[in-house]
Amino acid sequence: MTHKLNTRIDKQEIRKIRKSFDAYNVQRIYTATGIFSDTERDFFNVIPILLHYDFEVTRPPAIPRGAPGGIMLFEPHAHQMEVMGRMFPGVNLNGPPPERVIQSLALVGSIGTIAQTGKSDFDYIVFIHKNELGENRVESLKSKLSAIERRAMEQAGMEVHFFVQDVEDFRQNRFGETDMENVGSALGKLFKDEFYRTAIFVAGKRPLWWVAPQGLPE
């Protein structure tokens, strides 16, 4: 007797799975941040805001003006805004971002796993559509991310790394620019497996893999 695959996506089931995933993800964040220092926890909370808005940090190094930003579906909650005000007093958040080019933001690697230590790096994957941005704006975004990396080290002693990943490249298991060791296509599926096993969802769109019902065909 063969098993019949489910070929339809039920919205109610999707909502149920998404709710379960969100609860699991919140628990992952709670576990991960439990061993952060207070300063690390604060900076972790403001990282999505730093990526979301276009503003100048009055103390150098300044985040470049005009760099692409904005995270899909993201709106800072009250605690994030309170922490932002403490860490960057006087910074003016000029209303909603003019654009939202970041599709999703996720923290990957040892943080949130049994391998996490006080020396674990903060490795973020920043998903975008590179073709829509163009080469110059992608480089501008990378400059902004580099400025945030420096700020994290100077202000919080955190080793933060951002890896810009094209959504379509991710679908095709191409990770040449994502991994520090420059994984090739032969290791692409292994890297994707590591992503889905270790990633903590921070902001933006949830990858469909995390909320797809069981039994769907490829």
Side-chain angles (χ1 to χ4, degrees):
M1 188 175 185
T2 59
H3 174 67
K4 185 177 180 181
L5 291 173
N6 178 18
T7 58
R8 59 186 293 270
I9 297 179
D10 183 86
K11 292 181 180 179
Q12 286 293 110
E13 188 174 3
I14 287 285
R15 282 193 284 267
K16 181 180 178 181
I17 296 172
R18 185 175 61 193
K19 184 177 180 180
S20 296
F21 167 76
D22 287 346
Y24 167 72
N25 192 69
V26 167
Q27 185 60 44
R28 292 280 314 281
I29 293 174
Y30 177 79
T31 301
T33 57
I35 69 169
F36 291 175
S37 68
D38 290 343
T39 305
E40 287 175 334
R41 193 176 299 112
D42 284 347
F43 209 94
F44 171 79
N45 270 296
V46 302
I47 278 178
I49 300 179
L50 295 175
L51 271 66
H52 194 56
Y53 291 101
D54 179 26
F55 61 88
E56 290 186 18
V57 176
T58 55
R59 297 178 298 277
I63 296 174
R65 294 287 294 178
I71 305 174
M72 296 293 291
L73 308 178
F74 173 67
E75 298 298 337
H77 53 69
H79 178 65
Q80 286 177 309
M81 295 298 286
E82 184 270 326
V83 173
M84 185 70 187
R86 282 194 285 106
M87 298 196 76
F88 299 94
V91 166
N92 181 26
L93 302 182
N94 300 312
E99 58 181 350
R100 295 175 186 255
V101 304
I102 298 171
Q103 301 297 307
S104 187
L105 178 67
L107 185 63
V108 298
S110 62
I111 290 181
T113 74
I114 196 172
Q116 180 180 349
T117 71
K119 297 182 180 180
S120 293
D121 292 351
F122 292 74
D123 293 335
Y124 288 88
I125 308 295
V126 181
F127 287 97
I128 63 170
H129 291 295
K130 287 186 177 180
N131 288 340
E132 294 180 6
L133 273 180
E135 184 176 344
N136 289 340
R137 301 198 75 214
V138 170
E139 290 305 312
S140 181
L141 173 61
K142 288 181 178 179
S143 295
K144 174 179 180 176
L145 298 176
S146 294
I148 297 172
E149 290 174 349
R150 293 192 298 269
R151 191 75 186 203
M153 177 57 70
E154 293 173 0
Q155 190 161 345
M158 294 167 59
E159 190 160 344
V160 173
H161 305 282
F162 292 106
F163 302 104
V164 176
Q165 176 65 51
D166 179 70
V167 172
E168 185 56 34
D169 283 346
F170 185 80
R171 290 193 182 112
Q172 301 300 325
N173 302 324
R174 297 191 296 261
F175 302 102
E177 292 186 29
T178 302
D179 187 20
M180 288 177 290
E181 298 179 358
N182 195 28
V183 299
S185 58
L187 297 178
K189 290 185 178 180
L190 292 178
F191 184 82
K192 185 181 284 187
D193 174 70
E194 180 186 10
F195 173 85
Y196 282 124
R197 281 187 295 103
T198 69
I200 294 176
F201 173 71
V202 178
K205 295 180 178 179
R206 303 167 186 81
L208 181 60
W209 179 269
W210 282 334
V211 296
Q214 293 183 344
L216 285 179
E218 185 174 336

